[in-house]
Amino acid sequence: MTDFRSLHVPGSPLVLVNAWDAASARIAEEAGSRAVATTSAGVAWSLGARDGDVLDRDEAVAAVRRVVAAVRVPVTADIESGFGADPEAVAETIRLVVVAGAVGVNIEDGVRPVEEQAARLAAARGAAGDALFINARIDEYLLGGHDFGAVLARAQAFVEAGADGVFVPGVVDPATIEKLVAKVPAPLNVLVGPGAPTVPQLARLGVARVSLGSGVASAAYAVMRKAAREALSAGTYASLTEEIPYGELNSLL
């Protein structure tokens, strides 16, 4: 299997079309993805929970296990903030995710003080050893903030605590991304969607990892809503014109 860490190359980004179950993971792999990443929101929604530290840890780990079993490429798991109230609980989550077969994780900081989050990341590193790629998510921009200095301070602290990469969702401005690439002391991951710079543009800025996050799962559920409303109102089925043929999808699994 390809070494997951080696796929994080500034200027030649790893593109991750985040999956939420075995079928979506296989679709990503069949399309040519060099690795598969899960989306915590998509996983939670598919299992009947809201995103945001609501999903039961055992269910989340079981979902990772199913995705790993379905594909041959490396799998990195979005584990929200670690499914634990303290560093030791985060460490236990990491041990379970490693046993499930993941070679990477995302751990988000939310509104936690930097020292507390650094302790959680250090616990994760201690539990994983060197084998696991830990991607530290910094939510300053995602939560509506604009403090570039705070992002850099967190990035420095998180890398010192053991993070391998830094994920800064919520920023799509090319000038800011370029500054982050120059200042963040680790491979930079950005979140993309409609209106964001293209992958070639992000490559030129030096980004090492590009994630679609929960956007693909949201779009899939939008098709479900559109089809349901169409069938229950007009009685037609035009929303299904772009479906993957049954036999083709079935053969992927």
Side-chain angles (χ1 to χ4, degrees):
M1 181 182 289
T2 302
D3 176 58
F4 184 62
R5 186 174 276 101
S6 71
L7 297 177
H8 295 75
V9 180
S12 181
L14 172 64
V15 179
L16 296 170
V17 183
N18 300 69
W20 60 96
D21 61 9
S24 57
R26 278 290 292 124
I27 290 168
E29 180 184 38
E30 191 270 341
S33 294
R34 294 180 291 166
V36 166
T38 64
T39 159
S40 65
V43 170
W45 296 334
S46 73
L47 296 174
R50 298 190 314 276
D51 187 30
D53 295 311
V54 174
L55 184 64
D56 176 76
R57 177 169 65 186
D58 290 342
E59 287 190 280
V61 172
V64 173
R65 188 179 303 112
R66 288 191 293 272
V67 168
V68 169
V71 300
R72 292 182 291 275
V73 295
V75 173
T76 181
D78 185 341
I79 58 169
E80 303 192 29
S81 65
F83 297 111
D86 54 38
E88 179 48 44
V90 174
E92 178 60 18
T93 297
I94 293 296
R95 286 188 281 267
L96 293 170
V97 168
V98 169
V99 170
V103 297
V105 292
N106 275 5
I107 304 177
E108 61 195 54
D109 64 348
V111 297
R112 286 188 171 87
V114 62
E115 297 84 2
E116 179 182 345
Q117 185 64 10
R120 295 167 70 86
L121 290 167
R125 174 52 68 207
D130 294 332
L132 194 74
F133 188 99
I134 297 177
N135 204 33
R137 196 177 97 178
I138 298 173
D139 289 339
E140 169 71 15
Y141 291 108
L142 192 65
L143 297 176
H146 299 88
D147 191 336
F148 186 82
V151 172
L152 293 185
R154 282 180 175 265
Q156 184 66 47
F158 296 169
V159 171
E160 289 176 357
D164 298 287
V166 172
F167 184 22
V168 186
V171 56
V172 294
D173 171 59
T176 303
I177 292 172
E178 188 172 31
K179 287 169 58 180
L180 287 168
V181 168
K183 298 291 186 180
V184 168
L188 182 70
N189 182 190
V190 298
L191 180 69
V192 297
T198 65
V199 172
Q201 289 170 333
L202 292 169
R204 288 193 290 273
L205 294 173
V207 171
R209 177 164 160 176
V210 176
S211 301
L212 275 65
S214 61
V216 183
S218 295
Y221 288 122
V223 173
M224 175 64 189
R225 182 171 68 179
K226 184 177 180 181
R229 289 177 175 177
E230 180 187 357
L232 295 170
S233 57
T236 56
Y237 328 106
S239 303
L240 304 181
T241 55
E242 294 187 18
E243 66 176 332
I244 299 175
Y246 171 88
E248 182 180 341
L249 184 56
N250 204 41
S251 69
L252 289 177
L253 299 169

